[in-house]
Amino acid sequence: MSKFLNEPEEDLDPRFYTEAKEDITYDAIVIGAGVIGPCIAKCLAQKGKKVLIIEKEWQEPDRIVGELMQPGGVRALRELGMIQAINNIDAQPITGYTVMYNGEKVAIKYSHKDKSGPLDLLSSDIVHEGNDKILSGDKTLNYDDFENDERERGVAFVHGRFLTNLRNMCLAEPNVTPLAGNVIEVMKNKVGEVIGVRVDVPNNRGKCEFKAHITFVVDGVFSKFRRELASDFKTTSSSSFIGMSLFNADMPTKNNGHVILGTNHSPVLVYQISPEETRILCAFNSKKAPTNISKWMISSVKPHIPEQLRPSFDKALAEGKFRSMPNQFVCARQNDVTGLCVIGDALNMRHPLGGGGMTVGLKDTVLLIKKIGDLDFSDRETVLDELLDFHYERKSYDSVINVLSIALYSLFAADNEYLAILQRGCFAYFQKGDDCLEKPIMFLSGVLPRPFLLTKVFFAVALYSVYLNFEKRGAVGFPVAFFEGFAILFTAARVFTPFLYNELIG
Ligand SMILES: Cc1cc2nc3c(=O)[nH]c(=O)nc-3n(C[C@H](O)[C@H](O)[C@H](O)COP(=O)(O)OP(=O)(O)OC[C@H]3O[C@@H](n4cnc5c(N)ncnc54)[C@H](O)[C@@H]3O)c2cc1C
């Protein structure tokens, strides 16, 4: 099957244009074969549903998104029986993070597996024959190390290769029909219920209509159809990531994600995605990339890059192959339209600083299949009831990942004096080690779905920042530190509480 997907669009197997039928009603239509679409299609097909999956670009994409998967995402892939999608793509195991702040660094290992609780595998029609474990014999992922490590592991990879594996797993299911085409309309009946889609199909087939009991909108970050849920369902964006590929970079800590933070610059992420290639993503405080990226990289990023990475950084800079992506945010809405389910980035986005997007989407897929996988999709009211519940049940994990990513970005990208005190306090809190490291990394890695515990830890960091500020000011500066203490706590509340409120109450 992979021979279809690595070839240019014009060489796609003809069945990608011809097999989809207009005269039947599918159980499900899936719009988009990015990270989440193929997972939904494959699992539903294994549950006996007839699924049509529509994608406008079946060839392997070359994107700078979705390259580091947190342990929570790895666990969800196991629960979906799709973990082997990380095999044979030169993926790099990730054992934790190295956080650098103004030149100092702290290494944070992922937590012990026994603290995450047991996996909640989907039923045996989906998870069977060891498909919850990686394959042995992989060149870059050692089976014993990966499976038997007492700590959680994440993984980094070239996004397109991972996607090709996911797509091939989905297309191997006889109940899945693929279609190459651009969905141009989600069709509704007179009472506003979704009944299918209109698609512009290349290869002279033209505009076609396909019907299904339920349509999954999984069209990603720039979703055209999320507004089928509500006309005001829009994203906000105030920053972007500028990315480059570093080749043969000398990584400060092997098999770690790196976060480079500092008082005078925006966050930079660095992680190795293949034996040769390392991704660097540099945050810029505007949704549009700087007009002269090269100049900005030299003046605002380069001075903060560790010496070890400089040679590969300089080479990449000289080549000038920059790519940028806006960092968008959108809080999830309830799926309350009969015949429709919006999911993945189309439903919910957060700041990519935390690398949590795929984790949330994959965990959503696990929950979704549990809730509706065994239902008869022609009973649209029962499916809708389950989707209404889905919205509330996902909050425990999505709120932690989303709020943390946005709060961390607000904390580390801004240059207000109280935020700078909080930044220092946050890093010093990590330096205390033990529980002060373990809880934050568990939140980040998507294995501790407890929003109120996150709140407690966040304000513990704020109080520690106040305490450090008192220490720094000394007895003479006590009145100033007293006033600053309130300002710090107020600032902490401002960067955290509105997001948590929206996530939990929205
Ligand atoms: C800069 C950046 C870095 C990121 N880094 C990470 C990271 O390290 N780790 C992580 O977990 N997450 C990361 N993310 C988030 C992650 O990429 C997403 O959460 C994930 O890709 C969402 O999957 P999806 O299936 O919802 O959407 P996508 O993967 O975007 O897939 C959507 C698919 O729909 C198709 N499509 C769109 N419109 C149509 C149409 N009209 N007709 C047919 N097909 C259509 C598209 O071609 C695409 O294939 C990052 C995001 C950004 C912006």
Side-chain angles (χ1 to χ4, degrees):
M1 188 65 66
S2 63
K3 82 181 176 60
F4 300 134
L5 300 186
N6 287 317
E7 288 174 0
E9 204 75 52
E10 58 268 25
D11 294 335
L12 267 184
D13 188 286
R15 79 184 184 101
F16 279 75
Y17 304 105
T18 54
E19 271 194 0
K21 293 193 173 61
E22 288 181 84
D23 56 353
I24 63 167
T25 300
Y26 288 93
D27 288 307
I29 288 176
V30 175
I31 308 174
V35 177
I36 305 305
C39 300
I40 295 173
K42 176 243 170 208
C43 292
L44 290 180
Q46 287 175 313
K47 287 280 180 192
K49 317 282 188 233
K50 294 273 174 218
V51 185
L52 176 66
I53 181 163
I54 311 169
E55 169 58 51
K56 59 182 180 185
E57 289 164 20
W58 279 105
Q59 78 270 36
E60 193 163 285
D62 178 16
R63 306 200 290 175
I64 58 166
V65 306
E67 294 173 310
L68 187 150
M69 184 178 288
Q70 298 290 358
V74 171
R75 284 169 62 89
L77 276 180
R78 292 185 193 280
E79 290 169 344
L80 294 168
M82 297 182 81
I83 187 68
Q84 291 166 11
I86 65 173
N87 277 124
N88 301 322
I89 53 171
D90 284 342
Q92 303 293 302
I94 298 292
T95 56
Y97 267 84
T98 297
V99 181
M100 302 178 183
Y101 179 67
N102 291 337
E104 282 183 82
K105 72 177 175 185
V106 59
I108 314 180
K109 285 186 185 145
Y110 283 135
S111 53
H112 287 89
K113 279 181 182 158
D114 54 8
K115 300 215 166 148
S116 315
L119 287 169
D120 196 3
L121 302 177
L122 289 178
S123 49
S124 58
D125 40 2
I126 292 179
V127 184
H128 47 75
E129 294 162 22
N131 63 4
D132 57 333
K133 306 252 185 324
I134 65 164
L135 294 169
S136 55
D138 188 306
K139 272 195 298 185
T140 54
L141 292 178
N142 180 284
Y143 182 91
D144 285 334
D145 288 352
F146 202 85
E147 293 297 337
N148 301 330
D149 192 343
E150 57 184 18
R151 288 178 181 270
E152 295 288 356
R153 283 199 172 203
V155 64
F157 38 65
V158 175
H159 177 83
R161 293 185 201 161
F162 172 61
L163 224 61
T164 295
N165 274 356
L166 290 178
R167 288 172 173 183
N168 285 334
M169 282 180 169
C170 153
L171 297 177
E173 290 301 321
N175 279 338
V176 170
T177 305
L179 175 67
N182 182 21
V183 178
I184 48 176
E185 187 188 337
V186 165
M187 298 188 301
K188 291 185 172 165
N189 63 15
K190 284 185 189 133
V191 289
E193 298 169 347
V194 171
I195 51 167
V197 294
R198 183 167 289 121
V199 189
D200 196 355
V201 186
N203 264 17
N204 304 323
R205 198 165 164 190
K207 298 203 173 43
C208 305
E209 290 182 359
F210 299 95
K211 286 175 238 57
H213 296 308
I214 182 163
T215 298
F216 293 91
V217 167
V218 205
D219 57 350
V221 49
F222 300 111
S223 173
K224 201 158 66 182
F225 299 115
R226 64 165 65 89
R227 277 197 235 170
E228 297 298 332
L229 275 186
S231 56
D232 62 345
F233 192 15
K234 291 182 192 151
T235 62
T236 52
S237 169
S238 57
S239 71
S240 50
F241 262 137
I242 319 297
M244 296 194 298
S245 291
L246 310 184
F247 288 96
N248 304 314
D250 183 9
M251 297 295 281
T253 317
K254 301 277 172 261
N255 300 120
N256 265 213
H258 293 74
V259 190
I260 305 169
L261 305 167
T263 327
N264 303 318
H265 67 96
S266 289
V268 176
L269 294 177
V270 188
Y271 38 82
Q272 193 173 343
I273 57 173
S274 80
E276 303 80 28
E277 191 176 357
T278 292
R279 171 70 60 228
I280 181 165
L281 292 176
C282 313
F284 181 63
N285 259 341
S286 159
K287 62 182 169 189
K288 284 205 177 127
T291 32
N292 187 336
I293 297 184
S294 191
K295 198 169 156 204
W296 173 77
M297 280 278 185
I298 292 167
S299 62
S300 304
V301 180
K302 188 174 165 174
H304 312 292
I305 299 298
E307 281 299 326
Q308 244 178 297
L309 285 170
R310 286 276 178 89
S312 55
F313 182 87
D314 285 343
K315 264 192 206 152
L317 203 55
E319 274 197 16
K321 289 188 187 157
F322 307 114
R323 285 186 290 173
S324 73
M325 274 294 285
N327 299 324
Q328 304 194 64
F329 166 74
V330 68
C331 207
R333 297 286 178 101
Q334 195 168 30
N335 272 293
D336 56 1
V337 175
T338 303
L340 182 74
C341 174
V342 180
I343 190 164
D345 271 15
L347 178 71
N348 188 197
M349 282 189 288
R350 73 288 316 150
H351 201 284
L353 181 64
M358 293 187 290
T359 296
V360 172
L362 292 168
K363 284 171 91 70
D364 278 353
T365 309
V366 175
L367 178 61
L368 178 84
I369 301 299
K370 279 203 177 126
K371 294 199 74 65
I372 68 166
D374 290 315
L375 297 180
D376 173 358
F377 284 2
S378 65
D379 178 1
R380 290 162 40 110
E381 288 311 308
T382 306
V383 173
L384 181 63
D385 280 349
E386 292 299 322
L387 288 179
L388 295 175
D389 285 352
F390 167 78
H391 179 71
Y392 297 105
E393 287 183 33
R394 66 187 291 282
K395 280 181 188 287
S396 56
Y397 55 84
D398 89 274
S399 61
V400 167
I401 295 173
N402 295 345
V403 173
L404 184 66
S405 73
I406 294 163
L408 279 182
Y409 185 75
S410 313
L411 201 69
F412 284 104
D415 51 6
N416 148 334
E417 62 180 301
Y418 304 118
L419 283 170
I421 297 172
L422 278 166
Q423 289 173 6
R424 271 198 302 278
C426 183
F427 188 74
Y429 188 85
F430 293 159
Q431 285 176 315
K432 281 166 37 136
D434 296 333
D435 210 37
C436 299
L437 272 187
E438 189 164 64
K439 289 266 163 12
I441 194 71
M442 287 178 81
F443 292 131
L444 186 84
S445 52
V447 298
L448 191 54
R450 293 178 55 191
F452 293 108
L453 188 58
L454 172 69
T455 311
K456 196 173 140 195
V457 171
F458 188 83
F459 284 98
V461 171
L463 286 171
Y464 190 59
S465 308
V466 172
Y467 163 76
L468 290 180
N469 195 45
F470 270 108
E471 256 193 359
K472 191 176 152 217
R473 293 269 179 211
V476 181
F478 185 86
V480 181
F482 188 74
F483 162 76
E484 284 176 338
F486 282 105
I488 295 165
L489 291 178
F490 176 75
T491 307
R494 195 169 46 81
V495 295
F496 188 84
T497 354
F499 296 116
L500 184 72
Y501 178 84
N502 282 341
E503 285 288 337
L504 293 183
I505 307 300

